[in-house]
Amino acid sequence: MKIKIINPNTTWSMTEKIGLCARQVAAPGTEIVAVSPAMGPASIESHYDEALSVPGILDEIRRGEADDVDGYVIACFGDPGLHAAREVARGPVIGIAEAAMHAASMIGTGFSVVTTLERTCGIAWHLAEAYGMRRFCRRVRACELNVLDLEQPGSDAYRIIVTECRRAMREDKADSIVLGCAGMADLCKAIGRELGINVIDGVTVAVKMVESLVQLGLATGKRGDLAYPLPKPYSGMLENFSRL
Amino acid sequence: MKIKIINPNTTWSMTEKIGLCARQVAAPGTEIVAVSPAMGPASIESHYDEALSVPGILDEIRRGEADDVDGYVIACFGDPGLHAAREVARGPVIGIAEAAMHAASMIGTGFSVVTTLERTCGIAWHLAEAYGMRRFCRRVRACELNVLDLEQPGSDAYRIIVTECRRAMREDKADSIVLGCAGMADLCKAIGRELGINVIDGVTVAVKMVESLVQLGLATGKRGDLAYPLPKPYSGMLENFSRL
Amino acid sequence: MKIKIINPNTTWSMTEKIGLCARQVAAPGTEIVAVSPAMGPASIESHYDEALSVPGILDEIRRGEADDVDGYVIACFGDPGLHAAREVARGPVIGIAEAAMHAASMIGTGFSVVTTLERTCGIAWHLAEAYGMRRFCRRVRACELNVLDLEQPGSDAYRIIVTECRRAMREDKADSIVLGCAGMADLCKAIGRELGINVIDGVTVAVKMVESLVQLGLATGKRGDLAYPLPKPYSGMLENFSRL
Amino acid sequence: MKIKIINPNTTWSMTEKIGLCARQVAAPGTEIVAVSPAMGPASIESHYDEALSVPGILDEIRRGEADDVDGYVIACFGDPGLHAAREVARGPVIGIAEAAMHAASMIGTGFSVVTTLERTCGIAWHLAEAYGMRRFCRRVRACELNVLDLEQPGSDAYRIIVTECRRAMREDKADSIVLGCAGMADLCKAIGRELGINVIDGVTVAVKMVESLVQLGLATGKRGDLAYPLPKPYSGMLENFSRL
Amino acid sequence: MKIKIINPNTTWSMTEKIGLCARQVAAPGTEIVAVSPAMGPASIESHYDEALSVPGILDEIRRGEADDVDGYVIACFGDPGLHAAREVARGPVIGIAEAAMHAASMIGTGFSVVTTLERTCGIAWHLAEAYGMRRFCRRVRACELNVLDLEQPGSDAYRIIVTECRRAMREDKADSIVLGCAGMADLCKAIGRELGINVIDGVTVAVKMVESLVQLGLATGKRGDLAYPLPKPYSGMLENFSRL
Amino acid sequence: MKIKIINPNTTWSMTEKIGLCARQVAAPGTEIVAVSPAMGPASIESHYDEALSVPGILDEIRRGEADDVDGYVIACFGDPGLHAAREVARGPVIGIAEAAMHAASMIGTGFSVVTTLERTCGIAWHLAEAYGMRRFCRRVRACELNVLDLEQPGSDAYRIIVTECRRAMREDKADSIVLGCAGMADLCKAIGRELGINVIDGVTVAVKMVESLVQLGLATGKRGDLAYPLPKPYSGMLENFSRL
C-alpha cells in the first residue's frame, strides 16, 4: 500500500520530520511518501496561507493518482483543500485535524487543542464543528509560537507547548491533548510521557486511518457531492489544472 | 466609492451581466468595477473548481488594494476565499450567498435556495450553517443546469428555474427564493414578477451591503483571526503571492 | 424614500438623539422620521417594559402606513414587536439588535455586546439565537447602567461603557463591539476611535439596511407566517387595533 | 390554592370551556378562576394578535396578585407574554404550549403538534426551540381552522382535527399528539379514545404543573432576568401599567 | 394512587430518606413505596455503577407492575435505565434529573447543578442535552463528595454543598440550583432558606410529576420506540428477565 | 495484539459470523477473540434488551483484562455499555455504530443507516447525536426484520435490506450506507457490489480502529470521566461485579 503525505507548506525539514513520524507507525507493507508541493507558502498561519496552499496540494494529488497512490494524508492542522482533494483522488484522503479529533472522541470525553498562533484558533473551532467534534472540544489554545519556530533547533517550543498543555489539563479538565500543528508530531510521545495524558498527533492517526480505509476497500464515495470534478477549461497560470 | 465585484470564474459574459445588475442598484456616487481573474476555471461547480478560483480572487483583491477599492463582492454562490480575502482587504468583503441569505432572514421566516447542480447543494448548506442561516433555510434545490447553460441565449434555463421555484413555494412553503448562482442575477426581477414572491439575487444585495458598511466606516476587524497575513516566502508558481 | 425610526420608549431626548444619528448616515434622498409612541414605558429594561412597548410601536406602524412610509427601524436593542410589526407593514422592518449583529458577523468572527443592565442580557442572547447569530456572539456584557443614565449630561456612562468594552477586547477576544442600547448611538464613533476596534451601533446599520432593502424592492414576504393579520374584533382599551 | 387561568383572547365561551376542563383535573383544594382580559383580540392567530393580547394578560396578573392568586396558566398555545408575566407574578406562571411539550417529552420520544392555521406553525416551532423541546417535536401541523371555528356548535372541527392527527401518526410516526390551541381542550379525551394515542391538552397539564410547583414552594426566581420590573413612568393609554 | 420510588443503589438509609421527602409532598391519596433493588452497587458514581444498577431497577419495575403501581420515580441523578423502564411499565416513569431540570426551566432562565464527584459531571451534561435542557444549564459543579458521605451523620457535606451553591450564584449567575444527587433531598429546604434562591430536589418534583401524569391519564406511549419489549429468551444469571 | 469482540447477545451463530468478518480484515499479528456473554438476551431490539446486555459485556471485559486483551469491539449497533466498558478496560473500546458512522463521515457527506426494526431507529439517532455524527446522518431506515431473521438460512433478509438501501440512495441521496446491525456484517461486500455504493459494516471498521489506537499507544484516558470505577460493595446477583 502506498500512502502519500502532503505537507502543504514548502518547508522540507518539516516534511521530513512528518515522514519519519509516519513511518514509525505504518504497517510493514505500507510505503510512506512525504512531500511538499512545488508551490505555495513556507508556513500556514492564516486563511490566506491556507487558501494558497491548496493548488499545490491538488497538484500533488494529481501526481499521486498517476503514481497509483492508495490514499493521502493532508498534514496541516487546518486540513486545507480536503474536500477538493477528495473529489480528485480515487482513494481516501484524511486531514490531520480530522483524524486527531475523531480519535480523541473515541478515547475520552473532552480534548483541548494546543496550537501555534491565536489567529488560527478560529480555524480549529470551525473544523471541530464541521466534523461534528465540537461537543468533544473543550478549548483551542494558542502558544503564540510561529509554525517555523518548531523547526528551530534549541527553541523554547517544547517548554512552551508543555506549559500550555498543563493549563489545558488544569483549567479545561481535558482528558486528552490534540496537537494543533503537523510540526509538533515529533514532540507527541515526549509530551505524553511528561504529562501522563493522551497526547494525539494527527499525522500518525491519519496514517492509520488511511491504512484502515484502504484495507477495508473504502474510498470517497463518487455518487454525490464528492464526485470527480467536471472537465472544463482552466486559464492563465492554473491552465494545467483543467486536466485532472 | 469604488466597489470591485469579482466573478471568480473566467467567463466574461457572466462578469458583464453581473456588473450590469450591480450598476442598476448602486448609489449615484458608487463606481462598480466588475472583473474575472486572469486565472482559474471557466465555471465553478465543485470543491475543486472553487478551491482553484481562490488564487485568482486573491490576486484581484491585491490589485484592488493598489487601486484604492473601498469594498469587494465575491460573486459566486459558494463565496470562495471569503475569509482569505477579508484578511487581505482594507475594506469590507461580502459573498453573494452570505448577502442573500442574510437579507432573506430579515424579510421572511424561511427561504429556499434554487441553484444549478445537485452536487453543489452541500456547499450551500455548509454556508447556511457557517453564517448562522441554517434555521432560515428550508431547502436547497438543484435545477441540474450547468452554470454555463445560463449563458446560452435561447436555453431553457429560465423555465427550469421557475419550475423549481414553484416547487419551493408549494413543497417547502418558502416565503422567499434565494437564487443560488451569480449567473441568475439578471433573471431575478422576472421570476419575482412571474411568481409573486420575494426573489433574492445575492449580487445586488451584496453591493448594497458593501456600500452600507463602507459608509458606516465598518471594515473587517484586524484585531483577531482576520488580521493581515504575516509576510513570508511563497515559492514556485505562487511566488508573487508573498507580496501582499 | 421615507424611513420611520420608532424609539419604543417615550423619552423624547433619546428619540431626538437617535434621529440625529440616523440622519448622519442616511442617503441624500432619504427622509428620516424619528418618533416615540404616544403610550408606553419611559425606558425598556425588562420583559414587562418590552411587552408594553409593543402596542405603541404597532400604533406608530399603523400611522406610518397611512403616511406612505417605505420602511421602519425599531430602535430598542430588544427588537420588541418585530414580527408583529412585519405583519402590519408593507415595507421592511428592521430591529437594531438584528442589524448590528448581522453586520458584526460580516466584518469579524466574534463580537461582544455591551449593554445596560445585567437583567437584560438574557434578552440579547435570545435574539442572537433567534437571528442565527449565536455562533458569532462571544459574550453579552452589562454595565449596570440604567437606560436613562445615558440621557444624563455629565454622567459617567461613557467611561463605564468604555471600560466594559476594554474587558470585551481583552477577555472575550472580541473583534467588534455591538452597543446594546439605542441610547448609546451617539457614543459609537468616540468609543471606536478611543479603542481602535469596530464599534457597531444598530441604529445606523438598520437605517442603511432598510434603505438597501427598499431600493432592492424587498419587503416582508406576505405568503407565509408574516402575512397581514386577519381582521377581527378587538375590545376594551385596544379596540382601535382591530383596524389595521 | 388559587390558580388563575388567563385565556388571552376575549371570547368568553372559550374561557368557560377552558375553566371547565381545568376544574376536571384540579386537586380537591384547588380553586380555578378562569378569565378573559378586559381588552384585546377576539382570537389569536398572528404575531400581531399575540402581541396585543399581552397588555390584557399583564392586567389580569396584576389583579391576580391583589387577589392572592398562587399561580397562573396562560391558556393560548403561543404562550404570549410568558416572561413578562413571570416578572410580575409572585407565584409560578406556566404556558400551555410549554406544559404540553414538556409532558410529551416525558412520555414519548416524538410528538406532533396539531394546531389551527398554517400561519401560526412558525410560532409553535419557535416555542419548541425556546423550551428545548425541538428534538422531541416531529412536526407542527395545521388544520386550517380558525380559532373561533372551534366555538361553533356543529362545525366540522372535530373531524378535521382527527384527520390531521391520523396523518401525524402515520407520516410523522408521532407517539403523542399535542393539541395546538386552548380551544381544543374539550376534545382531548375523545380524540385520544378514538385514535388510541396519547393526546395532550396543555390546559390540564399546566394546571397540574402549577399545582405541583406551588406545593413544592417553587416560584419564578427573582434573582436574575425575571426579577420584578423596575418602577418607572408609563404614559398615555398604558399609564396604569406603571403601578405593578 | 401508588407511586414506587426506586433508589437504584442498595443503601437503604438513603432509600428511607428519599421516601420521607417524597411523602412530605405527596397528595393525600398517594401511597409512596420507596425501595432499593435486591442487587447492585452501594452507590452510583460512574458509568459502570450506573449500568449495573439497571437490572435491579428493571426488576423493581417488574415487581411494581405485579403490584399495580401507577407510576415510578428513578431516584438517582443519572436517571439510569429510564428508557428501558418506560418500555416495561404501564404507567409513567420519571427520572429525578429529568424532573428537576424541567422544573428549573419553568421557574428561571438558568440553573446550575451541584453534584457529588467531578467524574459524574459529564453524565449530568449528557442528560441536560438529551432532555433539551442544555440551554438552561449554566454549569455542572462538583463538590468532590462521595455519595455515601451524604449518609454520614456529622459530615461536612452540608457546608461543602452550600459553598458550591454560593459559587454557582456568584459565578454562574444561576437563578436556581438543581441538587445533583438523590441523597441531597433532605437538604433542599435548608439550603434554599440559607441562600434565598430556588433549590430544586428532583425526588419531590418527580413525585408531583408522576402524580400529575397519572391523574391526567398520561403514560408512556406504546406506539413507537417505547413499546413493550418483544418476548425472547434470556440466559444465564439474567434468565428471569425474559418474563416481563 | 489481541482484540476481543463482544457480541452482546447470546446467539453464537451470529458471534461466529462476526468473528469471521473480523478476521478477514485483521492485520497479520492480530488475534481475534469473538465471544457472547454468559448471560443476557438472545437478541437486542429494545432499550430493555440493550440495558440487560450490559452486565454480560462488562463481565467479558473483566475476563478480557485478566487475559491481557489489548482492545475491545462491542458488536451491537446500539453500542451498549460503551462508556462503562471504557471505564473498566485498559485498552481502547470501540462500538460498531461509532466506528461505522465515523468512517462514513470521512468518505462522504451523508450516510443513511439501514437497520432492523423501526423501534430501534431512535437509538441510532441518539448515537449519531452523541458521537457528533448527526450532521452526516441523512436518515435511519428500518427493514422491519428481526435481528434473528438474519441468522435464518434462506430468509429474504438480503433482498429486503438491498431494497431499503436502494431507497436510501434514491430518496436520501446518501453517498454511503451504514449497516445497522452486527448480524449484517457478512452481507456488506455483496450489497456494495450490487449497488455500487460504499456499504459500511461497523464490525470490520471497529477492528481496524482498535488496531490503530493500540498501535498508536492510545487508550481511554483515565484522568477524567472515564477513570476506573471506585471500588465499592455490590450486592445480590451482581455481587461479583464489585471486583473489577
Side-chain angles (χ1 to χ4, degrees), chain A residues 25-26 86 93-94 98 102-103 105-109 129-133 135-136 169 174-175 196-200 204-205 208-209 212-213 215-221 223 225-226, chain F residues 25-26 86 93-94 98 102-103 105-109 129-133 135-136 169 174-175 196-200 204-205 208-209 212-213 215-221 223 225-226:
Chain A
V25 300
R86 281 182 177 155
V93 186
I94 301 288
E98 181 185 41
H102 277 274
S105 82
M106 295 183 203
I107 58 171
T109 63
E129 172 149 341
Y131 300 141
M133 294 296 110
R135 66 180 53 219
F136 299 102
M169 293 168 72
D175 58 16
I197 189 175
N198 278 318
V199 180
I200 304 174
T204 48
V205 181
K208 298 312 287 180
M209 285 190 173
S212 296
L213 292 171
Q215 190 182 344
L216 293 164
L218 295 172
T220 306
R223 290 189 69 252
D225 301 25
L226 299 175
Chain F
V25 301
R86 282 183 176 153
V93 186
I94 301 287
E98 181 185 41
H102 277 275
S105 81
M106 296 184 203
I107 59 170
T109 62
E129 172 149 341
Y131 300 142
M133 295 294 110
R135 65 182 54 219
F136 299 102
M169 293 168 72
D175 58 17
I197 188 175
N198 279 319
V199 181
I200 302 174
T204 48
V205 180
K208 300 310 289 181
M209 285 190 173
S212 298
L213 292 170
Q215 189 182 345
L216 293 164
L218 295 172
T220 306
R223 291 189 68 252
D225 302 23
L226 300 174

Side-chain angles (χ1 to χ4, degrees), chain F residues 17 27 30 35 40 70 95 97 105 112 172-173 177 183 188 194 205 214:
Chain F
K17 183 169 64 177
T30 301
V35 299
D70 294 290
S105 81
S112 288
D172 317 344
K173 294 174 187 154
I177 303 289
C188 178
E194 181 163 348
V205 180
V214 170

Side-chain angles (χ1 to χ4, degrees), chain B residues 24-27 83 86 92-94 98-99 101-103 105-109 129-133 135-136 138 168-170 173-176 189 195-200 204-205 208-209 211-213 215-226, chain C residues 24-27 83 86 92-94 98-99 101-103 105-109 129-133 135-136 138 168-170 173-176 189 195-200 204-205 208-209 211-213 215-226:
Chain B
Q24 283 166 2
V25 302
H83 282 90
R86 282 183 175 152
V93 186
I94 302 287
E98 181 185 42
M101 291 182 186
H102 278 273
S105 82
M106 295 184 203
I107 58 170
T109 62
E129 172 149 342
Y131 301 143
M133 294 295 109
R135 64 180 55 219
F136 300 101
R138 294 269 161 87
M169 293 168 72
R170 196 174 55 239
K173 293 174 188 155
D175 58 17
S176 68
K189 286 259 161 77
L195 299 180
I197 188 174
N198 278 320
V199 180
I200 302 174
T204 48
V205 181
K208 300 310 289 180
M209 284 189 173
E211 273 184 351
S212 298
L213 292 171
Q215 189 183 343
L216 293 164
L218 295 173
T220 306
K222 293 298 183 190
R223 291 189 69 252
D225 301 24
L226 300 174
Chain C
Q24 282 165 1
V25 301
H83 281 90
R86 281 182 177 154
V93 186
I94 302 287
E98 181 185 40
M101 291 181 187
H102 277 274
S105 82
M106 296 183 203
I107 58 170
T109 61
E129 171 147 342
Y131 300 143
M133 295 296 108
R135 66 181 53 219
F136 299 102
R138 294 268 162 89
M169 293 168 71
R170 195 175 55 239
K173 293 175 188 156
D175 58 18
S176 68
K189 286 258 163 77
L195 299 181
I197 188 174
N198 279 318
V199 181
I200 303 174
T204 48
V205 181
K208 299 311 288 179
M209 284 189 174
E211 274 185 351
S212 298
L213 292 170
Q215 190 183 343
L216 293 165
L218 295 171
T220 307
K222 293 299 183 188
R223 293 189 68 252
D225 301 25
L226 299 174

Side-chain angles (χ1 to χ4, degrees), chain E residues 36 52 61 140 195 239:
Chain E
S36 276
L52 289 165
I61 301 271
V140 180
L195 299 180
E239 190 180 4

Side-chain angles (χ1 to χ4, degrees), chain D residues 172-193:
Chain D
D172 316 344
K173 293 172 187 157
D175 58 18
S176 68
I177 303 289
V178 165
L179 296 178
C181 180
M184 299 175 182
D186 57 329
L187 311 177
C188 178
K189 286 258 162 78
I191 301 173
R193 266 193 307 269

Side-chain angles (χ1 to χ4, degrees), chain E residues 19-75:
Chain E
L20 201 66
C21 293
R23 276 178 209 104
Q24 282 165 1
V25 301
T30 300
E31 178 191 355
I32 298 289
V33 183
V35 300
S36 276
M39 64 185 102
S43 64
I44 299 182
E45 299 170 321
S46 63
H47 294 275
Y48 180 83
D49 293 340
E50 199 173 294
L52 289 165
S53 73
V54 178
I57 293 169
L58 297 176
D59 190 48
E60 289 299 334
I61 301 271
R62 189 180 48 180
R63 291 166 194 271
E65 292 299 286
D67 286 354
D68 291 325
V69 165
D70 293 291
Y72 301 86
V73 172
I74 298 181

Side-chain angles (χ1 to χ4, degrees), chain B residues 52-244:
Chain B
L52 289 165
S53 73
V54 178
I57 292 169
L58 296 176
D59 190 48
E60 289 299 334
I61 301 271
R62 188 180 47 179
R63 291 166 195 271
E65 292 300 285
D67 287 354
D68 290 325
V69 165
D70 293 291
Y72 300 85
V73 172
I74 298 180
C76 167
F77 202 77
D79 295 354
L82 184 61
H83 282 90
R86 282 183 175 152
E87 288 178 339
V88 181
R90 263 170 307 124
V93 186
I94 302 287
I96 64 168
E98 181 185 42
M101 291 182 186
H102 278 273
S105 82
M106 295 184 203
I107 58 170
T109 62
F111 63 84
S112 288
V113 175
V114 173
T115 188
T116 53
L117 295 178
E118 182 68 40
R119 65 177 295 160
T120 66
C121 290
I123 294 174
W125 275 116
H126 176 75
L127 292 178
E129 172 149 342
Y131 301 143
M133 294 295 109
R134 189 146 206 163
R135 64 180 55 219
F136 300 101
C137 185
R138 294 269 161 87
R139 190 157 160 184
V140 179
R141 291 174 164 275
C143 295
E144 291 305 339
L145 285 167
N146 283 289
V147 169
L148 296 184
D149 291 346
L150 297 165
E151 300 306 294
Q152 298 307 320
S155 86
D156 287 343
Y158 179 82
R159 273 300 114 209
I160 292 170
I161 293 167
V162 164
T163 301
E164 199 65 31
C165 291
R166 280 193 205 280
R167 283 196 196 109
M169 293 168 72
R170 196 174 55 239
E171 296 173 19
D172 316 344
K173 293 174 188 155
D175 58 17
S176 68
I177 304 289
V178 165
L179 296 179
C181 179
M184 299 176 182
D186 58 330
L187 310 178
C188 178
K189 286 259 161 77
I191 302 172
R193 265 194 307 269
E194 182 163 347
L195 299 180
I197 188 174
N198 278 320
V199 180
I200 302 174
D201 152 53
V203 174
T204 48
V205 181
V207 166
K208 300 310 289 180
M209 284 189 173
V210 170
E211 273 184 351
S212 298
L213 292 171
V214 169
Q215 189 183 343
L216 293 164
L218 295 173
T220 306
K222 293 298 183 190
R223 291 189 69 252
D225 301 24
L226 300 174
Y228 290 110
L230 301 172
K232 68 184 57 168
Y234 270 66
S235 52
M237 202 165 77
L238 299 170
E239 189 181 2
N240 283 338
F241 283 90
S242 67
R243 299 174 319 203
L244 292 175

